[in-house]
Amino acid sequence: MSSRIRKIALEEHFTAPGFEEYSKVFTKHMDAAAQSRLSSQLRDFDDLRLGEMDRAGIDKVVLSQTGPSVQGETNIDLAIRRAAEGNDYLARQIQRHPDRYAGFASLPMHSPKAAAGELTRAVDVLGFKGALVNGHTGGIYYDDPAYDAFWERMQHLDVPLYLHPTDPSPVPKAYDGHPELTGAVWGWGVETATHALRLLFGGVFDRFPRLKIILGHMGEGLPMLLWRFDSRFAVYPHGVRLAHKPSEYFGRNIFITTSGVCSSAALACALAEMGNAAVMFSVDYPYESTAIAADFIERAPISEDVRAQVCSRNAERILKLA
């Protein structure tokens, strides 16, 4: 371990055997060399990953199956089985390096009941710290009242759900002729931010006030718009009633990581709008550079106390990692 400031990272990916078919949708535009390198990094749990962590001062990572995982499976029974298989596989890898790795569960969100059951098994039996779900499942969003039983279970277990990007369904016409906008450059962030706002304005956090959701990529751009959410919702509520102003759910129910956004200005905005206790460091390995992310957070113009909060203390508290 280097002498750098201690860090915990939450949006760090792997792949389990047989899950490669799901992720081809995200790698099909990469050349063969890039695909091969990515595959090696996703399948590795030893020298490659641990070496990167050590050089960056990352003490622990919370691992999650790379997207779209079982959210890309259309067969419900197979999705339930594959989620369990993937979680069992991850648990075995964590057991090999228990001081360095923790896990987020894959969940078959096709069935709220099955998802709640697998979440419970993953937390109570496998020791996972929550779940990471790759957006909607077949175009179904989780503000649907059918998911209330799932959210109730997640609140009872007191673990967070990391809402990770995926492709919109269907792809908006506005992206026609611009494939560069549909994925990581723009579309994924808009899709995930919209899903999070559906949960907020759909009253999920009012029904389950202790629920915790984590968004990556500096909150998918949402922290910059909190004032406008409050202002315009007050004028155009469309019959929706909330217990709090929209902005007040950020830092209360919605937390964010710095994954994939190494901008001091964006970090300053997120901290100012959400509070120092709501922002956590992450890399988005292996899709982003561990070295760049580590250098960014260590050089950001923030106090050392806030830096320690962002780098590790907030994650320890929210995920009960201490």
Side-chain angles (χ1 to χ4, degrees):
M1 177 64 65
S2 74
S3 60
R4 304 179 73 161
I5 185 170
R6 177 174 178 268
K7 304 174 191 69
I8 294 171
L10 311 184
E11 190 181 330
E12 320 307 318
H13 304 298
F14 77 99
T15 194
F19 277 68
E20 298 89 350
E21 288 299 314
Y22 297 130
S23 57
K24 281 183 178 179
V25 67
F26 291 153
T27 61
K28 60 186 178 183
H29 298 299
M30 294 181 177
D31 62 37
Q35 288 189 31
S36 177
R37 182 171 60 252
L38 180 65
S39 178
S40 295
Q41 292 172 307
L42 287 169
R43 288 185 283 107
D44 171 76
F45 292 87
D46 296 297
D47 295 344
L48 286 176
R49 192 182 298 267
L50 290 171
E52 290 235 3
M53 291 169 60
D54 288 345
R55 288 188 292 274
I58 298 175
D59 185 50
K60 178 169 282 193
V61 299
V62 184
L63 296 168
S64 54
Q65 172 65 46
T66 193
S69 185
V70 295
Q71 272 68 66
E73 176 57 61
T74 58
N75 183 291
I76 295 177
D77 292 336
L78 184 55
I80 293 170
R81 177 166 64 83
R82 296 306 304 280
E85 291 173 350
N87 291 334
D88 287 342
Y89 175 81
L90 176 56
R92 292 194 294 272
Q93 305 311 312
I94 293 171
Q95 288 172 2
R96 296 173 54 238
H97 300 287
D99 294 334
R100 307 303 301 278
Y101 298 149
F104 278 142
S106 295
L107 297 179
M109 299 297 284
H110 315 59
S111 163
K113 181 179 179 180
E118 182 57 21
L119 175 67
T120 301
R121 187 184 77 91
V123 172
D124 289 347
V125 178
L126 302 181
F128 285 7
K129 301 303 179 180
L132 183 143
V133 170
N134 293 282
H136 62 82
T137 298
I140 303 299
Y141 292 86
Y142 311 134
D143 59 310
D144 188 311
Y147 286 92
D148 276 6
F150 168 78
W151 293 125
E152 184 176 26
R153 184 71 58 85
M154 179 151 265
Q155 178 174 262
H156 172 74
L157 292 168
D158 193 25
V159 294
L161 183 138
Y162 203 119
L163 187 61
H164 187 269
T166 194
D167 289 334
S169 178
V171 175
K173 185 173 178 55
Y175 298 160
D176 284 359
H178 287 275
E180 73 280 6
L181 296 180
T182 61
V185 170
W186 177 251
W188 287 354
V190 173
E191 167 70 19
T192 308
T194 302
H195 197 159
L197 291 177
R198 288 181 66 114
L199 299 178
L200 191 163
F201 289 106
V204 173
F205 302 131
D206 286 348
R207 297 195 295 277
F208 306 100
R210 293 184 288 107
L211 190 63
K212 295 185 287 291
I213 301 294
I214 303 173
L215 301 175
H217 316 114
M218 210 68 81
E220 310 292 2
L222 292 176
M224 180 171 280
L225 295 172
L226 299 192
W227 188 93
R228 182 165 177 81
F229 294 154
D230 290 349
S231 169
R232 296 303 87 195
F233 179 63
V235 178
Y236 305 112
H238 291 281
V240 173
R241 295 181 180 273
L242 295 175
H244 308 282
K245 293 180 180 179
S247 65
E248 294 176 359
Y249 294 91
F250 289 80
R252 180 198 304 263
N253 302 104
I254 299 174
F255 303 85
I256 72 171
T257 74
T258 64
S259 65
V261 179
C262 298
S263 161
S264 292
L267 176 63
C269 171
L271 291 169
E273 291 289 348
M274 296 186 61
N276 300 338
V279 182
M280 297 172 281
F281 171 78
S282 285
V283 175
D284 201 355
Y285 178 90
Y287 300 98
E288 298 282 355
S289 167
T290 303
I292 290 174
D295 288 346
F296 153 68
I297 202 63
E298 291 188 356
R299 297 170 182 170
I302 54 179
S303 74
E304 293 310 308
D305 182 65
V306 171
R307 197 183 322 276
Q309 283 183 275
V310 172
C311 283
S312 61
R313 294 209 312 256
N314 290 337
E316 286 177 330
R317 183 188 78 254
I318 294 169
L319 275 68
K320 298 188 283 292
L321 290 169

